[in-house]
Amino acid sequence: MVNKILCATRNGIGGEIVQVQANFVRALPAFVITGLANSSIQESKQRIQSALHHIGFHFPALKIAINLAPADLAKSGSHFDLPIALLIALHKKGIDTQEWFAFGELALDGTLTYNDNIYPLLLEIALRHQNAKVILPTSGQELFCHLPHLQIYYASSLQEALQILESPESTPAKTQTTLNFDTIHIGDTDYYYEREFPLDFIEVKGQEIAKRAALIAASGFHNILYEGSPGCGKSMIAKRLRYILPPMSLEEMIESVKLQALSAQKPSYTPLRPFRSPHQSASKSSILGSATQNEAKPGEIALAHQGILFFDELPHFGKEVLESLREPLENNELVVSRVHSKISYPTAFLFVGAQNPCPCGNLLSPSKECRCTPKDISSYKSRLSEPFLDRIDLFVQMQENEQDPKPSLDSATMQQMVFHAFSAQKQRGQSRLNGKLSEREVEEICILDDATQRILLQARERFNLSHRAIQKLKKLSRTIADLDNAKDIAKSHFLEALSYRYIS
C-alpha cells in the first residue's frame, strides 16, 4: 500500500502542490527519495532518521521508497522533512493522510522549526484548496494565524504532529481576522495604520509646494520627481512620505509578508508600507529581480510593491535600469523572462525620484555659481528619456533655502488628509488608488466638466501632451478633488494638476 500526504514547493514566486508518496518494499533495507529532490531534501534522510529514533520508532527491515510527485518538477526546501517523517512513522497504522498538508523542518531531536519557504507556499494553498487541513510548526504561529481559508494545526515536534493525525477529535486553531493596530473601517473592510512618525514633515522647513505635492502623491499613489540643489530637502521629504501613506488591509499585509519571505527578510505583519531605496550602483538584476529554472528572486521593484521605490540621484542610475522602469510604472507589473522560466511580479508602487538641476547642483542656487557648461547640463538632462518622464505624474522644482515663517503641516495632520482622500476613493468602489487606475476606470471616475475640458484641449495643443500625459492629469485632478472633499473635478483642481506637469 502506498501512503500519501501533501506538501508544496517553490515555483517562481508562487508554488506547486506536491504529493509525497511512501512505499515499503521487501528488499535490502534502504531509504531513497526520488522526484527531482535537491540536496536540502536528500539531506533530510539523516534528520528524519534521528528524529524518528528520538521518539522510539524503529525502522523496519524494508526498503523505504519516497517519491515526490509530479516527478518532473524540481523540488527544494527542508520543509519536506515533516511529511516524509509522518508517512514513515504511520506505516501500518492505516491512517488516511492524503487530504492533509504538512510543512516543517526537523531538528535531530524531533523538534519542528519554521523556515521562510513555508509562508509563500501557504498562500498558494489557501487560494487553491479552500479549508485545507495543514500541520505547521508552532514557531511560525505569529505569521500563520492570519492566513485565511485554511484549517491550521500547530505542532512543536514530530510527536505532536503524529498525535494530531492519530486523534480524530483534534481541532484546528482559530484564524485571527484582526490585528493589533489602529484601524479605520470603510465598507466591510478594516484598514490598519500606525500613528508613530519617527520622521516628521514638521522638520522640513518651508518647501510648502514640495510638501503639497508629497501629500497629493501619497493620497493617490502618483509618481513624483523632485529637482533641486543639494541640501534643499528632496531626500528629507521622500523619507517622510512613507509615514503618511494610506492604510493597509489584511490582504495587502499578507501579500507584503509573502514578498518579505521570498527576499529572505524576516517576515512580520506591519501596516507600514515598504520603502526601498537602492543605490545608483545597483545592478539591473538586483533592481528587476532574477529568475532561474528552479527559483525566482524578487528585486527592489517587486519588494516596493504597495510602498515606495525611491531613486536618489536619479540620472546616475544606469540607462538600462531607468528604461526598464517604464513597463512596471505603466502596467503595475513586471515580467522577467528567461530561457527556462517566465515570472510576473506585481509592481503597484509609488515611485519617488530626486535629482540635481545640473551635474554640479548649483544651477538653481541663488548664492552659488553653476560651473557647468550648456553641453554638460544638456547631457545630464538627456539621461532621462521623454518616455520615462512621461510616466511621472508630478514634477516639483525646489528652491534652495526656501523658508516660511508660518507653522507648517506635521505628518499627523497630513496622514489624516491622506486618509480622507483614501476613504473617498474606497467609497466610490475603487479597488485601486487614483494613480493606478486603468484607462477605462479613468473615463468612469475622472470626469471633467465642459469648462475644464476646454482648458485640457488648450493645454494639449500648447504643451503637446501625449495621451498618457492627459490620462495622468485626469487622475491627478481626481486626487486633488478628493483632498478638497469635492464630488466633481473643478477647474481649479485641473489647473493645480497641470502646474505639476513636467514640460520639456
Side-chain angles (χ1 to χ4, degrees), residues 145-162:
C145 65
H146 300 290
L147 286 168
H149 314 312
L150 294 177
Q151 298 182 56
I152 300 178
Y153 298 77
Y154 294 110
S156 59
S157 65
L158 174 59
Q159 185 69 58
E160 289 185 14
L162 286 169

Side-chain angles (χ1 to χ4, degrees), residues 108-172:
L108 295 180
D109 61 355
T111 304
L112 272 180
T113 59
Y114 164 81
N115 67 57
D116 292 337
N117 284 324
I118 298 176
Y119 191 90
L121 299 175
L122 291 176
L123 291 179
E124 295 296 320
I125 296 171
L127 292 174
R128 301 186 195 183
H129 293 258
Q130 298 288 320
N131 296 317
K133 297 179 180 180
V134 189
I135 300 176
L136 296 171
T138 305
S139 56
Q141 184 172 355
E142 185 178 349
L143 285 176
F144 302 145
C145 65
H146 300 290
L147 286 168
H149 314 312
L150 294 177
Q151 298 182 56
I152 300 178
Y153 298 77
Y154 294 110
S156 59
S157 65
L158 174 59
Q159 185 69 58
E160 289 185 14
L162 286 169
Q163 290 172 357
I164 291 171
L165 294 175
E166 292 172 347
S167 303
E169 65 275 9
S170 297
T171 56

Side-chain angles (χ1 to χ4, degrees), residues 52-82:
L52 287 170
H53 280 302
H54 194 81
I55 64 172
F57 178 85
H58 297 287
F59 274 73
L62 301 169
K63 179 181 179 180
I64 303 173
I66 303 293
N67 181 53
L68 308 179
D72 60 347
L73 175 68
K75 325 294 190 309
S76 64
S78 57
H79 57 275
F80 281 95
D81 290 6
L82 179 59

